[in-house]
Amino acid sequence: MKYCRPRLNFSGGWLLAILAAITATPVIAETANFGTFTLSTNSDPAQGTVQGFTGGSYSLSATSNRDRDQKACIGFADPNPDHIMVLEKDFPQMTIQVDSNGNDTTLLIQGPDQTTIRCGDDTGKNKDASVSDRNWKSGTYRIWVGTFNPGVKRDYTLKVEQQ
């Protein structure tokens, strides 16, 4: 009995198909620049306070031009989210506020379904961004803190408060 070894042909076809499938699959960032935090309805308020810094040149409008309330998504950040927030329960009302000592910051928050987007810019007369909204479903949220201009480095504190 003669054994025939199959020949592998690496030219063209199947390699191109694999590359096309990989590039067509949406990439979901599972890591964040400054880590993950988890909140439940009885969380200590300190657990909803995290720190980081801005500095990217990725346009947040490339993720979404407008959020679910038709607010413009603007600013520049790192392509990876700055924070990942895990909500263990639904929250009827929540505010996410950036404190960078009044510098011009922006926010983009992507919900667990990847399609619910919330964006924020100035808060009243303050240039720091915030998002105050209703119906926060349990799950994993990706949060980007940006600046109005690309590549600007600003230290900030991000505070999440349930109402």
Side-chain angles (χ1 to χ4, degrees):
M1 180 181 208
K2 192 173 190 182
Y3 175 74
C4 291
R5 191 189 232 170
R7 289 182 58 191
L8 298 176
N9 183 355
F10 288 99
S11 63
W14 71 271
L15 185 58
L16 186 58
I18 290 173
L19 288 174
I22 290 171
T23 58
T25 304
V27 176
I28 299 171
E30 294 302 325
T31 59
N33 295 330
F34 304 107
T36 299
F37 62 100
T38 301
L39 297 174
S40 61
T41 51
N42 57 357
S43 288
D44 178 339
Q47 290 177 320
T49 302
V50 292
Q51 296 181 332
F53 58 86
T54 64
S57 297
Y58 171 75
S59 175
L60 292 175
S61 63
T63 300
S64 181
N65 284 324
R66 301 228 170 247
D67 71 3
R68 71 185 200 154
D69 294 327
Q70 298 306 307
K71 292 180 194 164
C73 297
I74 60 172
F76 295 88
D78 191 86
N80 291 324
D82 294 304
H83 307 278
I84 292 178
M85 174 178 71
V86 178
L87 299 182
E88 292 182 335
K89 307 230 178 194
D90 292 352
F91 286 77
Q93 181 73 27
M94 203 161 48
T95 298
I96 299 178
Q97 169 79 43
V98 177
D99 179 1
S100 68
N101 293 317
N103 291 297
D104 201 356
T105 56
T106 63
L107 269 172
L108 188 143
I109 305 163
Q110 184 182 49
D113 62 3
Q114 309 298 312
T115 59
T116 301
I117 303 289
R118 293 171 167 99
C119 292
D121 191 12
D122 302 343
T123 304
K125 293 180 181 178
N126 187 341
K127 293 286 188 184
D128 277 322
S130 70
V131 169
S132 185
D133 204 3
R134 68 209 178 288
N135 298 327
W136 296 80
K137 300 296 180 195
S138 64
T140 301
Y141 290 78
R142 290 159 183 80
I143 302 172
W144 285 264
V145 179
T147 54
F148 189 72
N149 294 309
V152 176
K153 184 177 177 189
R154 300 283 186 224
D155 292 330
Y156 66 82
T157 299
L158 185 76
K159 187 174 183 179
V160 180
E161 294 178 304
Q162 54 185 325
Q163 269 86 42

